[in-house]
Amino acid sequence: FRNYRLLQIKKQLLLEQRLLRSQMNPHFIFNALASIQGFMFKKDTLKAGKYLSNFSKLIRNILESSREDNIPLEKEISTITNYLELQKLRYGDKFDYKIDIDKELDPDEIQIPPMLVQPFIENAIEHGLKNKEETGNIDVRFSRKGDKVVFEVEDDGVGRQKAKEIALIKGKKHVSLATKITNERIESLSKK
């Protein structure tokens, strides 16, 4: 009975993970399609075409990864690199980025949950760098601490408080769905 109950709990946690990932993907896709639409409205067909091409590669990566509980770190890095390139195009090279991988990590061997890093990068861009006057920077770092893989996303944007003030001035009230879903995913992963 105990083993059956533990098995049921594990199945429930796996189901929660899949549900949370399925919520993240449409949110992300909506934002990307809005960017393509923006280029089309501006009649910038060259940028729209380039964005659409990169976006299709990204969607392929996301669809392949969404069926897996864990993917190689190398695949996640490829996905976020493509995402960062799309965002640079969207915002007219408003930021530069750097991705550092600790030499102790083998990106082909290390397995991590898919699309876990992207929402933090999205927040850095949307709430930190988008409102910055000069070119900003995003540093994404993957390192090992004991038996854990740690990722950090650091930006030199305007900061959370300033971003909130700007949003209030513009009359925008934004609830971060990506952050909420990611926190729920992390909670579910911790239980698992």
Side-chain angles (χ1 to χ4, degrees):
F1 179 74
R2 182 184 147 159
N3 285 343
Y4 175 77
R5 193 173 133 197
L6 289 173
L7 186 62
Q8 292 306 313
I9 290 170
K10 185 177 179 180
K11 284 182 182 179
Q12 178 65 28
L13 291 172
L14 287 171
L15 184 62
E16 284 178 26
Q17 274 299 307
R18 287 192 181 108
L19 177 63
L20 291 170
R21 276 199 312 259
S22 71
Q23 289 174 349
M24 178 61 73
N25 292 342
H27 169 78
F28 169 72
I29 291 168
F30 173 80
N31 287 343
L33 289 174
S35 297
I36 295 169
Q37 184 181 35
F39 289 132
M40 292 170 63
F41 285 150
K42 293 176 187 171
K43 298 190 185 325
D44 192 340
T45 55
L46 198 59
K47 279 188 180 176
K50 183 177 179 186
Y51 197 99
L52 193 55
S53 173
N54 286 352
F55 178 65
S56 68
K57 290 176 196 168
L58 188 60
I59 290 298
R60 186 179 315 114
N61 276 356
I62 291 170
L63 290 174
E64 288 172 0
S65 298
S66 69
R67 296 186 313 200
E68 305 294 331
D69 289 331
N70 292 300
I71 60 169
L73 177 58
E74 182 61 41
K75 191 167 189 176
E76 181 75 355
I77 290 168
S78 173
T79 300
I80 63 173
T81 300
N82 197 343
Y83 173 75
L84 283 160
E85 286 298 318
L86 284 170
Q87 292 294 62
K88 279 187 71 152
L89 184 60
R90 176 182 176 195
Y91 287 112
D93 291 324
K94 193 161 177 55
F95 66 89
D96 292 314
Y97 69 89
K98 186 170 55 172
I99 300 174
D100 290 318
I101 305 159
D102 190 333
K103 292 175 183 161
E104 291 185 31
L105 294 176
D106 182 350
D108 293 320
E109 293 293 319
I110 299 291
Q111 298 279 316
I112 65 169
M115 290 292 287
L116 197 58
V117 180
Q118 182 273 333
F120 296 98
I121 296 170
E122 180 180 340
N123 278 349
I125 296 167
E126 294 294 325
H127 305 296
L129 300 175
K130 183 170 80 171
N131 297 311
K132 189 173 178 176
E133 296 291 325
E134 62 275 357
T135 301
N137 295 288
I138 295 178
D139 291 324
V140 181
R141 293 182 291 277
F142 293 91
S143 60
R144 179 184 294 277
K145 293 199 178 158
D147 63 344
K148 294 179 174 46
V149 174
V150 176
F151 72 86
E152 299 170 283
V153 178
E154 184 178 343
D155 68 82
D156 62 355
V158 298
R160 290 180 182 179
Q161 188 59 40
K162 183 72 173 171
K164 285 180 184 177
E165 291 170 12
I166 292 169
L168 282 174
I169 291 168
K170 293 181 177 180
K172 294 181 180 177
K173 186 171 180 164
H174 174 72
V175 176
S176 181
L177 182 61
T179 302
K180 183 176 189 278
I181 293 170
T182 301
N183 285 334
E184 289 173 8
R185 277 187 73 197
I186 291 170
E187 188 177 312
S188 178
L189 284 167
S190 295
K191 290 177 189 174
K192 185 177 161 188

